[in-house]
Amino acid sequence: MNILKSCLLIRLLQVVSAQSVTCNLKPGYAAPVMADGWESRLIVNGLRQPRSILFDTEGALLVVEQQTGIRHLRLADGNGTCLSVQDETTLVQDSALNHGLALSNDGRTLYASTADVVYAWDYDPAGPSLGSERRTVVNGMDSGGHTSRTLLMSQMQPGILVVSRGSDGNVDIETADVNSGRSQIKAFDLNNLTAGSNPYDYASQGRLLGWGLRNSVGVVEEPIEGGIYSVENSVDQIERDGVDIHQDNPGEEMNYHGFLNASTEDQGGNYGYPYCFALWDTDVPNNDGLIVGNQFSADQTTTSNDTFCREDRVAPRLTFQAHMAPLDIIFLPNGTEAFISFHGSWDRSAPVGYKVSYVDFASGSPVAAADSRTATTDIMSNPDLSACPRGCFRPVSLAMDTQGRMFMSSDATGEIWVLAKGSSSTSTSGGGSSTGTGTGTGTSASPTESGNAAARWGYQSCPLPALFWVLWTLF
């Protein structure tokens, strides 16, 4: 009975809170198209290029604003997708911060990255406030080109920080040397750092999870088995044997990097870049049996050719339409679905991407075969891609709260959206109502599940009796 009474109290507080929440923001572009059973709402605007987002242990949303700093948003919750900003605090003002964000396993240390370093601060989420000392834990990453340094704190191996570093330009030949420290994903054991320790040097230290990864902005730890996955942005303007094939090649990639425990299986290999790439469209010159996902070479030489790429380089677990630009990947807590934000193309005559999709997982691996062209299911997309990039949202980072709601930052529009999956077959958005599915390479979402979304996704919900006040007085 105490449990039921607690649930009733929680529900009462939610009802009271809902009465004070304003959830009436509208986007300045066409309302997103939501897959059946999904709804979304615009809840924050006016941000400056929001990139990584993350919930702290008090339920507040932390946001990296590129070339600005880190903002703390406390949200008023009106239930479902009805949320609004209750109050906001600037935690850090630093124009060098550009993307990465992570919290220690106890939530008391905040990490953020510039193009060159990873910083750490003591963090009090109840304040909120940061300690006066800013510590450097990783450095030596300064370079041009791709400057996002994605951060991931392992939940399976506490204290292990994963850092991704991209290439210096479109085709960075120097990354063929592992000692360059570029186009790599590494893990650093912060448990070994003391007050007097020097920072880790990215190029020469850390545990190498993979190299030959052009720009793997999205990195995630699968929550059940613990495997590390990344999503990679591949090259632009590619030719094969002198023929322009860049409209649909090479494909973007989902790659696997093993575990962060003592095992080194499936770890530390070369994933192809800058000489080998994943095939998406098989209609290419001199295709001698290549299928979707095969590693191929732009030219056939004695040192780099299709045979070398297939036999000596690690192929992706999944391949996606070229130029969709995946920037983040997160899992449901039960590991059955991985959500991916596709920022959208610039290097293609017909735009692609500009959406959020998911991939089915089972037993720690994608369900779809490695050569699948239909591995993704779209859940949120722009209705008219010809208006992109200026007239649409551009997904960057994804975060999930304890109720199973997913939050998405859009840097181009300075916004944050919330997405939720319900039992209804009608999908709504903050900019209007829509039903059906979005466009793109993903398949349409199917409302095959029923019942409470939080329960389906592994969250607990309280029973709500109809005679609320009667039961309250009885207990």
Side-chain angles (χ1 to χ4, degrees):
M1 288 188 180
N2 286 336
I3 294 176
L4 181 56
K5 191 170 184 178
S6 297
C7 290
L8 291 171
L9 179 59
I10 291 171
R11 180 56 177 157
L12 175 61
L13 292 173
Q14 289 174 336
V15 171
V16 172
S17 174
Q19 294 174 351
S20 62
V21 177
T22 58
C23 45
N24 54 7
L25 294 180
K26 305 291 183 182
Y29 46 88
V33 175
M34 302 302 297
D36 288 345
W38 283 86
E39 59 181 303
S40 68
R41 189 177 299 275
L42 175 62
I43 62 168
V44 184
N45 60 11
L47 299 174
R48 181 173 177 177
Q49 292 184 281
R51 299 287 289 186
S52 291
I53 58 177
L54 181 67
F55 282 99
D56 69 11
T57 55
E58 295 289 322
L61 188 64
L62 306 181
V63 184
V64 172
E65 294 179 271
Q66 195 169 69
Q67 298 180 336
T68 300
I70 303 174
R71 192 181 301 228
H72 174 284
L73 302 177
R74 185 169 286 115
L75 302 175
D77 193 343
N79 300 323
T81 59
C82 183
L83 300 101
S84 63
V85 177
Q86 180 175 322
D87 58 61
E88 57 184 275
T89 303
T90 298
L91 289 177
V92 181
Q93 288 184 314
D94 188 340
S95 61
L97 297 181
N98 63 3
H99 183 79
L101 186 66
L103 283 169
S104 59
N105 301 98
D106 63 2
R108 306 289 297 185
T109 304
L110 178 66
Y111 303 92
S113 64
T114 71
D116 182 40
V117 303
V118 179
Y119 291 127
W121 297 264
D122 291 337
Y123 177 54
D124 177 10
S129 62
L130 293 181
S132 58
E133 180 189 6
R134 185 185 72 180
R135 306 180 300 278
T136 300
V137 295
V138 182
N139 62 12
M141 298 183 290
D142 189 26
S143 59
H146 301 108
T147 57
S148 299
R149 309 293 181 239
T150 301
L151 308 180
L152 171 71
M153 180 61 71
S154 172
Q155 300 305 306
M156 295 288 189
Q157 302 295 322
I160 303 297
L161 182 70
V162 177
V163 184
S164 175
R165 182 187 182 192
S167 64
D168 185 359
N170 184 34
V171 180
D172 184 356
I173 297 300
E174 291 182 3
T175 61
D177 180 0
V178 68
N179 295 316
S180 72
R182 298 197 297 274
S183 296
Q184 299 179 7
I185 299 177
K186 286 190 168 185
F188 299 89
D189 190 348
L190 302 187
N191 299 303
N192 294 331
L193 294 181
T194 64
S197 296
N198 291 324
Y200 283 110
D201 175 69
Y202 191 91
S204 62
Q205 296 178 289
R207 177 175 174 177
L208 183 64
L209 304 186
W211 59 300
L213 297 157
R214 178 178 177 269
N215 189 30
S216 296
V217 184
V219 185
V220 69
E221 184 177 50
E222 192 274 332
I224 305 302
E225 303 295 331
I228 302 297
Y229 285 88
S230 69
V231 284
E232 180 183 7
N233 294 249
S234 197
V235 301
D236 303 305
Q237 302 295 324
I238 192 172
E239 294 184 352
R240 178 174 165 90
D241 296 334
V243 178
D244 183 356
I245 62 170
H246 90 274
Q247 292 289 334
D248 292 308
N249 280 300
E252 316 286 47
E253 302 180 14
M254 175 189 287
N255 289 301
Y256 176 65
H257 309 290
F259 301 95
L260 295 177
N261 56 19
S263 172
T264 58
E265 184 178 359
D266 296 317
Q267 196 167 95
N270 186 295
Y271 290 75
Y273 180 82
Y275 297 120
C276 303
F277 315 97
L279 191 69
W280 174 253
D281 181 5
T282 58
D283 185 14
V284 294
N286 303 315
N287 184 343
D288 185 18
L290 292 170
I291 62 174
V292 172
N294 279 172
Q295 293 270 32
F296 73 96
S297 177
D299 298 296
Q300 307 304 304
T301 68
T302 56
T303 57
S304 179
N305 52 65
D306 292 345
T307 300
F308 166 79
C309 290
R310 285 199 304 266
E311 295 180 356
D312 287 35
R313 294 295 180 255
V314 182
R317 289 296 177 95
L318 290 176
T319 305
F320 310 119
Q321 163 70 51
H323 311 304
M324 290 206 297
L327 294 189
D328 202 5
I329 175 172
I330 65 170
F331 277 92
L332 288 182
N334 63 14
T336 59
E337 293 173 2
F339 297 90
I340 303 172
S341 60
F342 291 103
H343 196 233
S345 64
W346 67 268
D347 185 29
R348 197 172 187 275
S349 54
V352 290
Y354 303 94
K355 62 184 180 179
V356 178
S357 308
Y358 74 85
V359 171
D360 287 318
F361 265 69
S363 302
S365 298
V367 172
D371 62 349
S372 173
R373 287 175 59 95
T374 59
T376 60
T377 300
D378 300 341
I379 60 174
M380 181 178 182
S381 57
N382 284 279
D384 180 11
L385 292 183
S386 68
C388 300
R390 295 190 177 184
C392 55
F393 67 88
R394 299 196 74 179
V396 179
S397 182
L398 304 172
M400 195 167 290
D401 71 2
T402 56
Q403 296 187 42
R405 295 173 297 194
M406 184 163 57
F407 294 71
M408 176 204 75
S409 63
S410 169
D411 60 350
T413 57
E415 298 170 339
I416 294 175
W417 286 77
V418 61
L419 295 72
K421 190 174 186 180
S423 58
S424 170
S425 61
T426 300
S427 306
T428 62
S429 75
S433 257
S434 61
T435 59
T437 60
T439 59
T441 61
T443 59
S444 62
S446 175
T448 56
E449 298 174 311
S450 61
N452 181 270
R456 287 201 309 271
W457 289 7
Y459 294 98
Q460 298 300 315
S461 58
C462 293
L464 179 61
L467 301 177
F468 181 92
W469 292 108
V470 174
L471 288 172
W472 180 261
T473 57
L474 288 176
F475 297 123

